[in-house]
Amino acid sequence: MTSTTAEAARTAAATGTTSEVELLIGGMTCASCAARVEKKLNRMDGVSATVNFATEKAKVAFADGVQVADLIATVEKTGYTAEEPPPPRPAPATEPQAPAPDTEPDALRHRLLVSALLAAPVVLLSMIPALQFDNWQWLSLTLAAPVVVWGGAPFHRAAWTNLRHGAATMDTLVSVGTLAAFGWSLWALFFGDAGMPGMHDEFRLTVSRVDGASTIYLEVAAGVVALILLGRYLEARSKRRAGAALKALLELGAKDVAVLREGREVRIPVSSLAVGDRFVVRPGEKIATDGTVVEGVSAVDAAMLTGESVPVDVGPGDQVTGATVNAGGRLVVEATRVGADTQLARMAKLVEDAQNGKAEVQRLADRISAVFVPVVILIALGTFGAWLGVTGDTAAAFTAAVAVLIIACPCALGLATPTALMVGTGRGAQLGILIKGPEVLESTRRVDTVVLDKTGTVTTGRMTLQAVYVAEGEDEKELLRLAGALEHASEHPVARAIAAGAETALRPLERGRESAGALPPVEHFENVPGRGVRGRVDGREVAVGRLYDDLPQELARAAREAEQEGRTAVVAGWDGRARGVLAVADAVKETSAEAIRGLRALGLTPVLLTGDNRTVAEAVARTVGIDPAHVHAEVLPEDKVDVVRRLQREGRAVAMVGDGVNDAAALATADLGLAMGTGTDAAIEAGDLTLVRGDLRVAADAIRLSRRTLATIKGNLVWAFGYNVAALPLAAAGLLNPMIAGAAMAFSSVFVVTNSLRLRTFR
């Protein structure tokens, strides 16, 4: 993109006047095609475009005054087709909408099979002199002609289209090379000595001096077409497999839903659901959309969406996500998000955007591909001239030039990044890891420090009852029963934690009784500001909080120990005496310590960031294995950005993991932002990576997957560059027969795609 266009696009974006559209591009056959379309679009004023060869899509941002029709016209003038993706058609309730079939591999397979069946005898006759009967060359011509003309038609058609627009692509190299070999053979057969009965030929791996008038290259013309069609077919099939994860993600959702209408269940398409609708989910059914459980208790299996294998128990008031499976009882759910706002739709959009993007290394490959084909044509002409000048052998010069044309196709360059990105982001989606874009991959390689927000990331974000200490001679269950009953009447987070802990502890004792799981009622409840609560329970005057001045020695010691461990100590008693201490804290997630070990194994230094006091923060840090020297406590929400910037000024590349609104700015400031998917929308939007499951261990997995994907991209590019750099001099030196060159070129593309597919096995 030119600086003027980039400035125009930036200005439009700054004034909020940009629009975005995604176009389906047809007719692209290699990276050079994608580079041409992208270049033409970016030359338009106020347009910024990225064209992806692997996904065959263009993502275009354009300013006011530019119409989508203008963009499509520009693409068509370049020699390709463009259209907007069709809007999703609502599926009828009884017949789920099937995805549009991908017919490209099937069409290629048909063309490949016919071409291979015809080309095989030609190659065998040319390579094995013992098979060469009288006039075998005319049979070879009969078999080879349909392969070159019909089998190679896609290459010739694309080359002609590009020629009309003054451009050259990979298809130009294939078309010129095969037609030149076929044309030379026709001349030798009809006007030279090659058509004479009893003519014999010998297959050579390298170029050698021969009589040009008696040499035919039908095996080269037919064999190269068949080999490149094989490469294209394997490529198309692999691309389909690479995009399978996104396709599977899009198909996860339910097709229809049983909505409650005036007390009756009515089956409607999911597309007709509205926010506020209540719908029924029976055991084994998919939950139709994001919502809140209003009736029923069950377990929900979210494995296909988050990678979490253990079903999660849900009940009234709990949030559930569309496309997860009800594994237990009947649920009634109230829809809170529908359509494009659901978590599944947003996940799919993030994955698709990431697959359509380009890493910086791919932009370099695109720039090379754009000039590579014209350079190769010049090299081929130079090779022909040099061989002719040195040897005077036209046939040898021609053979070397054709080998240069065929082996130099830069197809592998164009596939190196997109295929790895498609597979990596797709595999991430299956594991509950959403990578926002290819530039994120570069960031994961650089980071050396990971800043962890405490609440909701390292800890559960909910106060829970951690321990109970009772005075000598007192009963722990009685303490929990009375204190829990009193706290049940309060809305304070600490009170709710004590009440919930008491109910959980007492439930086994109450099983079988009429009042199963219930706490006794409270009379004369009173809140004492800053000190606690009191009231009458079962005829006793109960008080919980800081309402006792004199504590028994063992309770005072227990309270001190609890506070040293970062817990909130609450004294409970009745009838004027302290009877016990209840220790409440924001519980550390069971998986956090393992997650910290995983982050350290990646060479990252964990840093804990929290607004809590230092005692609490250091207690949590000790529990999970973070050095107290790397704890930043009592940090105000607006100061979290300053902590990240301070670490960056120290020369560190910082990753930030958080889940709250107050983490959004820090996530955006960090070199790499990882947002917990269980957090707020603001945090998720600000993050570079979203961890759908609220498990910190996934952070280490996300960084490992990103690094592995980046390494695969770089490995692909090294192979693609190295192949061309090594192969071109060999071909120009006459050390490669053109058919061997064609096989090597096809293998290069297949190797790149196959290497990318290894990411599907990431665990």
Side-chain angles (χ1 to χ4, degrees), residues 453-545:
D453 174 61
K454 180 184 78 70
T455 306
T457 302
V458 177
T459 65
T460 62
R462 298 186 308 274
M463 300 296 281
T464 56
L465 182 61
Q466 299 284 298
V468 180
Y469 308 92
V470 293
E472 189 175 346
E474 299 294 342
D475 179 54
E476 181 179 319
K477 300 300 180 185
E478 183 69 2
L479 176 73
L480 283 171
R481 196 173 74 86
L482 297 176
L486 184 64
E487 293 285 51
H488 194 270
S490 172
E491 289 299 317
H492 193 280
V494 171
R496 292 172 66 181
I498 292 172
E503 283 189 315
T504 302
L506 295 172
R507 192 170 291 127
L509 298 180
E510 297 290 335
R511 188 171 293 134
R513 298 187 193 175
E514 229 176 88
S515 58
L519 295 169
V522 179
E523 299 174 338
H524 310 302
F525 177 82
E526 181 187 355
N527 182 27
V528 183
R531 300 199 65 193
V533 293
R534 57 191 174 201
R536 192 171 182 81
V537 183
D538 280 356
R540 292 172 175 172
E541 297 295 334
V542 182
V544 180

Side-chain angles (χ1 to χ4, degrees), residues 249-292:
L249 190 66
L250 290 166
E251 293 174 356
L252 275 180
K255 308 302 179 190
D256 55 15
V257 58
V259 180
L260 290 175
R261 297 273 195 260
E262 298 176 355
R264 292 174 55 249
E265 292 183 22
V266 180
R267 208 115 196 129
I268 64 170
V270 168
S271 56
S272 301
L273 262 182
V275 173
D277 280 346
R278 293 192 174 191
F279 58 92
V280 176
V281 190
R282 290 184 174 77
E285 288 185 340
K286 289 181 180 178
I287 295 172
T289 193
D290 300 357
T292 305

Side-chain angles (χ1 to χ4, degrees), residues 648-675:
Q648 289 171 328
R649 284 196 295 271
E650 292 172 5
R652 303 191 191 186
V654 180
M656 167 81 188
V657 186
D659 74 330
V661 172
N662 56 13
D663 298 323
L667 286 167
T669 303
D671 299 286
L672 178 70
L674 293 91

Side-chain angles (χ1 to χ4, degrees), residues 725-750:
V725 167
L728 270 173
L730 289 175
L735 299 177
L736 288 177
N737 178 281
M739 195 173 72
I740 302 300
M745 191 280 292
F747 170 75
S748 175
S749 298
V750 173

Side-chain angles (χ1 to χ4, degrees), residues 301-602:
D301 182 358
M304 71 292 292
L305 204 62
T306 66
E308 175 58 70
S309 58
V310 181
V312 179
D313 292 331
V314 297
D318 289 332
Q319 302 294 314
V320 289
T321 306
T324 54
V325 177
N326 178 13
R330 178 182 183 271
L331 293 175
V332 177
V333 179
E334 182 174 309
T336 55
R337 287 178 175 175
V338 296
D341 294 330
T342 63
Q343 183 171 326
L344 176 65
R346 291 164 68 201
M347 282 175 65
K349 186 73 171 71
L350 282 172
V351 175
E352 192 168 21
D353 286 348
Q355 292 184 351
N356 285 335
K358 288 189 180 179
E360 193 56 41
V361 284
Q362 177 62 23
R363 296 187 185 281
L364 172 63
D366 285 350
R367 287 195 292 271
I368 292 172
S369 295
V371 299
F372 194 76
V373 173
V375 168
V376 167
I377 291 174
L378 290 175
I379 292 174
L381 291 173
T383 300
F384 180 83
W387 271 83
L388 193 61
V390 172
T391 66
D393 187 341
T394 308
F398 173 79
T399 306
V402 170
V404 168
L405 285 173
I406 291 171
I407 203 165
C409 298
C411 200
L413 277 179
L415 292 167
T417 294
T419 51
L421 200 57
M422 285 172 72
V423 181
T425 53
R427 181 60 183 149
Q430 291 174 331
L431 298 174
I433 301 164
L434 303 183
I435 303 171
K436 278 201 175 174
E439 63 282 350
V440 171
L441 304 177
E442 297 281 359
S443 302
T444 60
R445 180 179 58 84
R446 294 194 304 268
V447 293
D448 54 27
T449 302
V450 56
V451 176
L452 306 168
D453 174 61
K454 180 184 78 70
T455 306
T457 302
V458 177
T459 65
T460 62
R462 298 186 308 274
M463 300 296 281
T464 56
L465 182 61
Q466 299 284 298
V468 180
Y469 308 92
V470 293
E472 189 175 346
E474 299 294 342
D475 179 54
E476 181 179 319
K477 300 300 180 185
E478 183 69 2
L479 176 73
L480 283 171
R481 196 173 74 86
L482 297 176
L486 184 64
E487 293 285 51
H488 194 270
S490 172
E491 289 299 317
H492 193 280
V494 171
R496 292 172 66 181
I498 292 172
E503 283 189 315
T504 302
L506 295 172
R507 192 170 291 127
L509 298 180
E510 297 290 335
R511 188 171 293 134
R513 298 187 193 175
E514 229 176 88
S515 58
L519 295 169
V522 179
E523 299 174 338
H524 310 302
F525 177 82
E526 181 187 355
N527 182 27
V528 183
R531 300 199 65 193
V533 293
R534 57 191 174 201
R536 192 171 182 81
V537 183
D538 280 356
R540 292 172 175 172
E541 297 295 334
V542 182
V544 180
R546 299 176 181 176
L547 296 167
Y548 296 93
D549 296 324
D550 297 320
L551 294 181
Q553 187 175 353
E554 67 270 28
L555 291 185
R557 186 171 59 251
R560 282 197 304 273
E561 289 174 356
E563 287 172 351
Q564 286 170 0
E565 292 173 359
R567 298 171 175 175
T568 300
V570 178
V571 180
W574 55 85
D575 298 339
R577 282 181 53 200
R579 313 282 179 157
V581 172
L582 305 168
V584 176
D586 178 6
V588 174
K589 292 180 181 177
E590 293 179 1
T591 57
S592 290
E594 183 185 343
I596 299 301
R597 290 194 295 273
L599 292 168
R600 285 189 187 281
L602 292 171

